Amino acid sequence: MQQEIPHTASRNPQKRFRKIIFLLAALLCLCPFVGAPIALALGLLMAWLVGHPYPQFNHKATHWLLQASVVGLGFGMNAGSALRAGREGFLFTIVSITAVLVLGYLTGRLFKIDRKTSYLITAGTAICGGSAIAALSPVIKAGEKQISVALGTVFILNAAALLIFPAIGKHLHLSQEQFGLWCAIAIHDTSSVVGAASKYGSTALLIATTVKLARALWIIPLSLGSALLFRAKDSKIKLPFFIGLFILAMLLNSYLPPVARLAPCITLAAKAGLTLSLFLIGSGLSPKVIRAVGFKPMLQGILLWAFIATGTLLTIIYLA
C-alpha cells in the first residue's frame, strides 16, 4: 500500500493538467476568431502532445454535438434555395454512391481486408463518414475493432480534407456553387463538409449542407440492403432523425417570421458547436488510433477518397 500512494499522487496532477488544458482549448474553440482548421489543429495537438482526458466519451459527445449543430444550421437556410441545391446534386449523389460501393468491394477483395471493415470504410466514403458507419455497424453486427478501424480511417481523411479542399478550390478558382457541390460529395463527414464550405462562402455552405444531408438519407436504403447482404434479419436499422429536424428548422426559418428573427443567434451557436465538434474529432485522433487503422484499410480509404474527389471535381469543372 505504501508503494501505491506516491504512484497515485503522481498521476493525479497529470490528470488535472490534461483536464485543464483540454477545457481551455475547448473554450478557445468557442471564440468567433477560431475557425474550423484551427480547432482541428488544436484537437490534434491535444491528442499527440497532452492526451485526451475523456477518451471514452469523445465519440458519443462528437456524435450528438455534430447533429445538434447541423440542426441549428437549418435555421439559417431558406427552403426554396435548399430544394434547388438538392436537385442539382441528386444525379451526382446516385452515380458517386454506386461507383464508390463497386470500387470499395473490388479494392476490399484485392487487398484481402476484413469484409465488414472494408464495407464500413466504403459506406463511410460513399455517404456520410462516421454517421454512415455508426448507422450500419449494428445492422451488419460489426465488432468493436472493425468499427474503430473504419472510423479511424474516415476521421484521418476528414482532417486532411478540411485543410486541403479550400486550398484546391481557391487555386482552381471554383465558384461557390462548384465548391459546395464538390465538398458535399467528396468529403466524408458533415462536420468537415460544413467546416470547409463555411470558409468558402455562404452560398457554398448552403449547397454543401443541403446536398450532404440529402446524401445522408441514402443510409436508409443502404441499411436495408446491408441487412440482406450480411443476412442479419434481426438487426435494428437506425434512421438519421436529425435530418428531419434540420428540414423542420429550415421550414420554420423560411415561413415563420418570429423564428427568422431568432435565426442569426441560433446559427451563430450552431457554428460554434460545429467548430467544437471538429476540435473533439482532432483530439480523438491519437497515435494509438492511427496505429490501429493499419496500412491496408488506410490505403483502401485513400484510394476511394481520391477516386470520388478527383472524379467529382473533373465532372464539375467539365460541366461548367
Side-chain angles (χ1 to χ4, degrees), residues 2 55 91 101-102 107 112 135 147 174 203 231-232 266 298 319:
Q2 291 180 351
L91 182 59
L101 290 175
V102 172
T107 53
K112 297 180 181 179
I147 298 170
L174 297 180
T203 302
R231 296 184 175 88
I266 299 174
M298 179 57 69
L319 291 179

Side-chain angles (χ1 to χ4, degrees), residues 201-240:
S202 57
T203 302
L205 178 61
L206 170 65
I207 293 173
T209 307
T210 307
V211 173
K212 190 64 180 179
L213 293 180
R215 189 182 186 85
L217 290 172
W218 287 84
I219 290 175
I220 300 171
L222 189 60
S223 296
L224 296 171
S226 301
L228 296 174
L229 182 64
F230 287 85
R231 296 184 175 88
K233 297 180 181 179
D234 57 339
S235 297
K236 295 181 180 179
I237 297 175
K238 293 184 177 181
L239 301 181

Side-chain angles (χ1 to χ4, degrees), residues 4 20 39 58 90 148 152 211 238 250 255 266 280:
E4 293 180 3
I20 291 171
N58 194 69
F90 184 74
S148 298
V211 173
K238 293 184 177 181
M250 191 165 50
Y255 300 111
I266 299 174
L280 294 176

Side-chain angles (χ1 to χ4, degrees), residues 232-312:
K233 297 180 181 179
D234 57 339
S235 297
K236 295 181 180 179
I237 297 175
K238 293 184 177 181
L239 301 181
F241 69 91
F242 75 98
I243 298 177
L245 294 177
F246 169 83
I247 295 171
L248 177 61
M250 191 165 50
L251 291 173
L252 291 174
N253 178 61
S254 302
Y255 300 111
L256 288 181
V259 174
R261 285 193 288 270
L262 295 173
C265 297
I266 299 174
T267 53
L268 185 64
K271 288 178 180 179
L274 192 70
T275 303
L276 181 58
S277 72
L278 288 167
F279 166 76
L280 294 176
I281 288 172
S283 64
L285 294 177
S286 65
K288 182 180 178 182
V289 170
I290 294 175
R291 284 195 300 269
V293 169
F295 175 71
K296 288 184 179 180
M298 179 57 69
L299 179 59
Q300 183 191 32
I302 291 172
L303 288 176
L304 293 177
W305 183 45
F307 168 77
I308 192 171
T310 305
T312 305

Side-chain angles (χ1 to χ4, degrees), residues 33-281:
F33 57 83
V34 176
I38 296 175
L40 183 63
L42 282 174
L44 289 170
L45 288 173
M46 185 75 206
W48 283 74
L49 300 180
V50 181
H52 199 312
Y54 310 104
Q56 67 273 31
F57 303 116
N58 194 69
H59 176 66
K60 186 169 287 187
T62 305
H63 175 74
W64 287 106
L65 181 61
L66 170 61
Q67 293 190 352
S69 300
V70 169
V71 172
L73 288 175
F75 286 97
M77 297 184 181
N78 179 269
S81 300
L83 183 62
R84 288 192 294 272
R87 282 202 302 263
E88 290 177 6
F90 184 74
L91 182 59
F92 275 103
T93 296
I94 295 176
V95 173
S96 60
I97 288 176
T98 303
V100 171
L101 290 175
V102 172
L103 184 61
Y105 171 77
L106 295 175
T107 53
R109 292 290 298 271
L110 178 65
F111 299 149
K112 297 180 181 179
I113 302 172
D114 171 77
R115 186 188 180 201
K116 291 182 179 180
T117 302
S118 174
Y119 187 74
L120 291 176
I121 292 172
T122 301
T125 306
I127 301 179
C128 57
S131 299
I133 293 170
L136 292 174
S137 295
V139 175
I140 67 174
K141 296 183 177 179
E144 184 178 345
K145 174 70 174 178
Q146 295 162 326
I147 298 170
S148 298
V149 170
L151 285 174
T153 302
V154 165
F155 284 159
I156 291 168
L157 296 178
N158 258 326
L162 182 62
L163 302 175
I164 293 171
F165 271 56
I168 294 176
K170 290 176 182 177
H171 178 72
L172 296 177
H173 305 291
L174 297 180
S175 67
Q176 288 201 36
E177 291 80 4
Q178 290 174 318
F179 184 81
L181 184 58
W182 180 43
C183 67
I185 294 173
I187 299 180
H188 306 75
D189 261 357
T190 306
S191 57
S192 292
V193 169
V194 175
S198 62
K199 288 185 64 181
Y200 219 79
S202 57
T203 302
L205 178 61
L206 170 65
I207 293 173
T209 307
T210 307
V211 173
K212 190 64 180 179
L213 293 180
R215 189 182 186 85
L217 290 172
W218 287 84
I219 290 175
I220 300 171
L222 189 60
S223 296
L224 296 171
S226 301
L228 296 174
L229 182 64
F230 287 85
R231 296 184 175 88
K233 297 180 181 179
D234 57 339
S235 297
K236 295 181 180 179
I237 297 175
K238 293 184 177 181
L239 301 181
F241 69 91
F242 75 98
I243 298 177
L245 294 177
F246 169 83
I247 295 171
L248 177 61
M250 191 165 50
L251 291 173
L252 291 174
N253 178 61
S254 302
Y255 300 111
L256 288 181
V259 174
R261 285 193 288 270
L262 295 173
C265 297
I266 299 174
T267 53
L268 185 64
K271 288 178 180 179
L274 192 70
T275 303
L276 181 58
S277 72
L278 288 167
F279 166 76
L280 294 176
I281 288 172

